[in-house]
Amino acid sequence: MANVTVIGAQWGDEGKGKIVDWLASRADAVVRFQGGHNAGHTLVVGDVTYKLSLLPSGIVTGTLSIIGNGVVLDPWALKAEIEKLTAQGVEIDAENFAIADNCALILPLHRDLDGLRENAAGTGKIGTTGRGIGPAYEDKVGRRAIRVCDLAHLDALGPQLDRLCAHHDALRHGFGQDPVDRESLLNELREIADYVLQFAQPVWKRLKKVRKAGARILFEGAQGVLLDVDHGTYPFVTSSNTVSGTAAAGSGLGPASTGFVLGIVKAYTTRVGSGPFPTELSDEIGQRLGERGHEFGTVTGRQRRCGWFDAVLVRQSCSISGVTGIALTKLDVLDGFDVVRICTGYRLDGRILDYLPAHAADQARVEPIYEEMEGWKGTTAGARSWADLPAQAIKYIQRVQELIETPVALVSTSPEREDTILVRDPFVD
Ligand code: GDP
Ligand code: IMO
Ligand code: MG
């Protein structure tokens, strides 16, 4: 049976959480494979809203939920999120939730460094979520990280902690900060260790068993392809690979396991944080998109920048990430516009480009070329079938799929779980 990999095809916040939640009831396991609690995935079920940052969105339907090795895990954020969801009536235990024992940890010193660097960068700052994501991935790749499995061996952590602190103390010194308080760090780890360890296991083995039983696995990406550390708008990106291929490496399954790649695509474009954004609108249309779409960050509460749909970017993302089909979300936000615009190419120094160039300065200079379409009079909000959509909205969807060279598999018409139109089932494709 097919597995499905969900990834964001823009700059994040495309509505991945809603779609994963919708698909989760038909999956046997949901796996996060990269990122950390920089993600903010919102699920609306009836009159209850769930906001997840670290926990896979499958946890709300009670589906086996797994944090893969590619995730950077903040133990204290994990505990707080589990407590918050438990208070909302979600059951989370060692039966339905597992954490890879080889996950790298985010420690308070990572959050410190994230903040120190951003403060020092002034106008050049990335606009990170301040969660310590970048510094934690640096330590992982630098072979200095403390990992989940180390929590079971804290008495032997001395030499590892020496290496880690030597690195951070030098950086902190440069920022005029005190060295890391090793004793209090070790005490904090001692206090939280058993809590994390109750869920820790070699999840690659668990997933192997799930796969052997012919069960369906749903991989849940965080962020979006344009925030990918290789393929995104570097350096204004996150510190992980957000493309579909990471689902395999970040969970411990082979590349053939990723199955149908479902790219989540917002019907317009948003971005939170700094960096180039060719179709950004700083006029009343951008403001209207932001208000109608409630475009405020789930994690930091920051206002998201808004603009028209950019078909060049999404075509590039779909190609880079091998997207099989897309879920087009937030179509309802475009209801009531007299005209809607789609970016179909860029102008740069008298040339026409059909892709986003790699250099940040060029990315900031490209001028969007727009195609204009008539908007639709009726409403798409809450539509649950193709027949409920105004003819002009269908034309918009068809034009989008033509320009991005990728078919539409799902359409989402409100935050609510059931306000979703299934065009092509990713699990049986
Ligand atoms: P994610 O990070 O990709 O999971 O997306 P977020 O949850 O950060 O942001 C998407 C926001 O849009 C959330 O508040 C969702 O509840 C909401 N949303 C998702 N799909 C739709 C939709 O089709 N229409 C509207 N109006 N809102 C949606
Ligand atoms: P979800 O999963 C939108 C952005 C930050 C910043 C950059 C680097 O909800 O789509 P980081 O803290 O990762 O070092 O910040 O990436 N960013 C996101 N933007 N959605 C997200 O996640 C994001 N996660 C990180 O705003 O520009
Ligand atoms: Mg989000």
Side-chain angles (χ1 to χ4, degrees):
M1 264 186 215
N3 296 330
V4 175
T5 299
V6 165
I7 53 129
Q10 291 153 314
W11 278 293
D13 302 327
E14 300 91 348
K16 297 176 292 292
K18 167 180 166 162
I19 300 295
V20 170
D21 169 59
W22 189 81
L23 290 167
S25 56
R26 296 188 297 136
D28 301 287
V30 179
V31 188
R32 275 279 309 265
F33 54 86
Q34 48 70 231
H37 66 311
N38 49 348
H41 298 175
T42 313
L43 285 54
V44 180
V45 187
D47 50 12
V48 187
T49 299
Y50 303 94
K51 289 179 186 292
L52 308 176
S53 286
L54 198 45
L55 293 170
S57 296
I59 201 78
V60 172
T61 45
T63 312
L64 171 63
S65 292
I66 291 180
I67 292 186
N69 56 277
V71 169
V72 279
L73 184 110
D74 179 324
W76 300 276
L78 174 83
K79 186 163 184 270
E81 192 169 319
I82 292 178
E83 285 170 357
K84 186 181 78 176
L85 277 147
T86 306
Q88 285 191 288
V90 177
E91 276 179 36
I92 303 167
D93 53 38
E95 284 301 304
N96 68 3
F97 178 56
I99 301 172
D101 53 6
N102 49 351
C103 261
L105 296 183
I106 300 183
L107 303 173
L109 51 83
H110 295 123
R111 207 170 41 238
D112 292 349
L113 188 56
D114 198 349
L116 289 167
R117 283 192 181 136
E118 285 283 272
N119 287 337
T123 53
K125 70 178 180 186
I126 289 164
T128 71
T129 58
R131 300 294 191 263
I133 304 291
Y137 274 118
E138 286 170 34
D139 281 346
K140 171 179 167 171
V141 176
R143 296 164 289 190
R144 293 179 294 272
I146 309 293
R147 304 193 303 167
V148 167
C149 51
D150 292 317
L151 296 173
H153 302 277
L154 288 178
D155 289 341
L157 199 65
Q160 257 172 285
L161 216 47
D162 285 343
R163 259 170 58 73
L164 183 69
C165 291
H167 179 80
H168 278 268
D169 287 346
L171 293 168
R172 292 167 75 97
H173 181 71
F175 285 108
Q177 298 294 309
D178 290 338
V180 177
D181 182 342
R182 281 187 43 158
E183 262 324 293
S184 81
L185 174 59
L186 204 48
N187 283 337
E188 285 179 75
L189 288 171
R190 279 200 183 99
E191 274 170 30
I192 198 90
D194 286 344
Y195 186 83
V196 178
L197 286 171
Q198 67 178 312
F199 304 112
Q201 55 180 269
V203 301
W204 65 270
K205 261 174 137 283
R206 179 99 178 242
L207 286 168
K208 181 179 170 188
K209 215 163 125 190
V210 169
R211 255 211 114 195
K212 264 195 158 166
R216 295 164 159 181
I217 303 173
L218 179 54
F219 297 94
E220 178 180 11
Q223 292 81 51
V225 174
L226 297 168
L227 289 169
D228 182 280
V229 68
D230 287 292
H231 297 288
T233 46
Y234 193 91
F236 302 100
V237 294
T238 192
S239 295
S240 65
N241 283 110
T242 59
V243 291
S244 57
T246 314
S251 64
L253 283 168
S257 312
T258 47
F260 187 107
V261 179
L262 183 66
I264 313 301
V265 175
K266 205 179 270 193
Y268 49 101
T269 314
T270 62
R271 168 162 212 172
V272 57
S274 323
F277 181 171
T279 62
E280 182 170 16
L281 295 167
S282 40
D283 57 9
E284 68 281 2
I285 297 177
Q287 211 175 335
R288 188 167 158 198
L289 287 170
E291 280 164 15
R292 288 186 52 93
H294 304 291
E295 297 296 354
F296 292 92
T298 314
V299 175
T300 57
R302 289 178 292 176
Q303 197 167 348
R304 297 176 185 149
R305 301 153 66 194
C306 297
W308 291 119
F309 185 75
D310 189 333
V312 180
L313 290 184
V314 175
R315 183 171 58 229
Q316 188 161 330
S317 293
C318 287
S319 175
I320 284 165
S321 214
V323 170
T324 322
I326 67 157
L328 189 68
T329 62
K330 304 192 91 161
L331 185 64
D332 54 295
V333 175
L334 295 181
D335 286 356
F337 278 87
D338 291 333
V339 291
V340 285
R341 298 174 114 193
I342 299 180
C343 170
T344 57
Y346 300 131
R347 240 181 230 107
L348 182 68
D349 299 328
R351 283 181 307 139
I352 304 238
L353 300 183
D354 64 357
Y355 70 100
L356 187 72
H359 200 274
D362 288 340
Q363 291 177 351
R365 283 192 315 122
V366 294
E367 289 172 35
I369 300 168
Y370 287 113
E371 176 177 297
E372 220 167 74
M373 289 180 78
E374 197 187 313
W376 48 92
K377 299 276 178 289
T379 175
T380 67
R384 294 185 181 185
S385 84
W386 198 253
D388 294 339
L389 298 175
Q392 199 55 35
I394 293 179
K395 274 195 191 161
Y396 183 76
I397 299 172
Q398 284 168 340
R399 188 61 185 139
V400 163
Q401 61 180 1
E402 201 171 270
L403 286 167
I404 65 171
E405 298 166 11
T406 311
V408 170
L410 295 166
V411 179
S412 166
T413 58
S414 100
E416 161 61 35
R417 179 193 275 168
E418 297 305 330
D419 292 339
T420 307
I421 303 171
L422 178 65
V423 183
R424 177 179 170 192
D425 191 338
F427 275 120
V428 297
D429 206 87

